[in-house]
């Protein structure tokens, strides 16, 4: 069971004992083990990429994945995800906001656990990182 489900009390049943003698009924929580389906980490890759394609740089009308801003997506066996990303320039005005947008997009994918996003500058981003779709959309092809 993942941490969020355990924290939320998923899988616990509340049982009410008999209160025939006029005693106040007390609720007790009983831990019940619930089978949670495990996904192959690679099965998460495509849904994560699809979610990242929903994140756009506010200054460029192309999603960040096709812009080539996502350098690495590592998916652990427990569903935890680590993303290395960059920006088009170190002075980008959304530098503080973009990693949070990426983290939020990845967290929305069902089956994903903890998400960590690292902003990296090596190698520096260049237009060569863009997909053909992005180049076409920006009129570079």
């Amino acid at each position: 069971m993942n941490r969020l489900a355990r924290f939320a009390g998923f899988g616990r049943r509340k049982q009410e004992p008999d209160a025939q003698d006029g005693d106040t009924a007390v609720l007790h929580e009983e831990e019940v083990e619930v089978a949670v389906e495990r996904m192959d980490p690679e099965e998460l890759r495509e849904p994560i990429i699809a979610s990242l394609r929903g994140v756009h740089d506010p200054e460029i009308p192309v999603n960040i994945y096709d812009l080539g801003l996502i350098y690495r997506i590592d998916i652990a066996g427990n569903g935890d995800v680590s993303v290395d990303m960059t920006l088009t320039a170190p002075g980008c005005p959304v530098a503080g906001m973009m990693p949070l947008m990426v983290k939020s997009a990845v967290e929305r994918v069902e089956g994903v656990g903890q998400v960590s996003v690292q902003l990296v500058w090596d190698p520096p981003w260049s237009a060569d990182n863009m997909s053909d779709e992005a180049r076409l959309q920006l009129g570079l092809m």
Side-chain angles (χ1 to χ4, degrees):
M1 184 177 322
N2 71 29
R3 286 177 233 139
L4 179 60
R6 193 173 292 124
F7 177 75
F10 180 76
R12 291 186 182 159
R13 282 187 281 178
K14 294 186 178 187
Q15 296 178 341
E16 191 172 328
D18 291 333
Q20 295 174 348
D21 300 329
D23 293 336
T24 305
V26 179
L27 294 178
H28 297 279
E29 291 188 2
E30 177 185 314
E31 187 73 29
V32 177
E33 199 58 39
V34 176
V36 176
E37 182 181 336
R38 296 264 181 212
M39 289 182 80
D40 175 28
E42 286 306 308
E43 290 179 24
L44 287 173
R45 186 167 304 280
E46 285 305 315
I48 288 171
I49 291 170
S51 186
L52 288 171
R53 283 193 164 121
V55 179
H56 289 77
D57 185 321
E59 298 178 327
I60 305 171
V62 177
N63 71 72
I64 62 166
Y65 189 82
D66 288 331
L67 271 177
L69 299 181
I70 303 298
Y71 283 170
R72 182 182 60 85
I73 302 171
D74 279 344
I75 307 166
N78 64 356
D80 290 353
V81 177
S82 176
V83 177
D84 283 354
M85 68 169 295
T86 194
L87 299 172
T88 53
C92 182
V94 294
M97 185 174 64
M98 191 64 70
L100 297 175
M101 292 166 62
V102 168
K103 182 177 181 179
S104 176
V106 175
E107 286 174 335
R108 285 192 299 265
V109 175
E110 188 174 340
V112 167
Q114 299 266 333
V115 177
S116 122
V117 178
Q118 298 297 319
L119 198 53
V120 297
W121 302 106
D122 188 36
W125 180 86
S126 76
D128 294 337
N129 295 10
M130 290 192 290
S131 69
D132 289 341
E133 293 84 6
R135 291 174 207 265
L136 189 61
Q137 194 172 358
L138 293 172
L140 301 175
M141 281 185 89

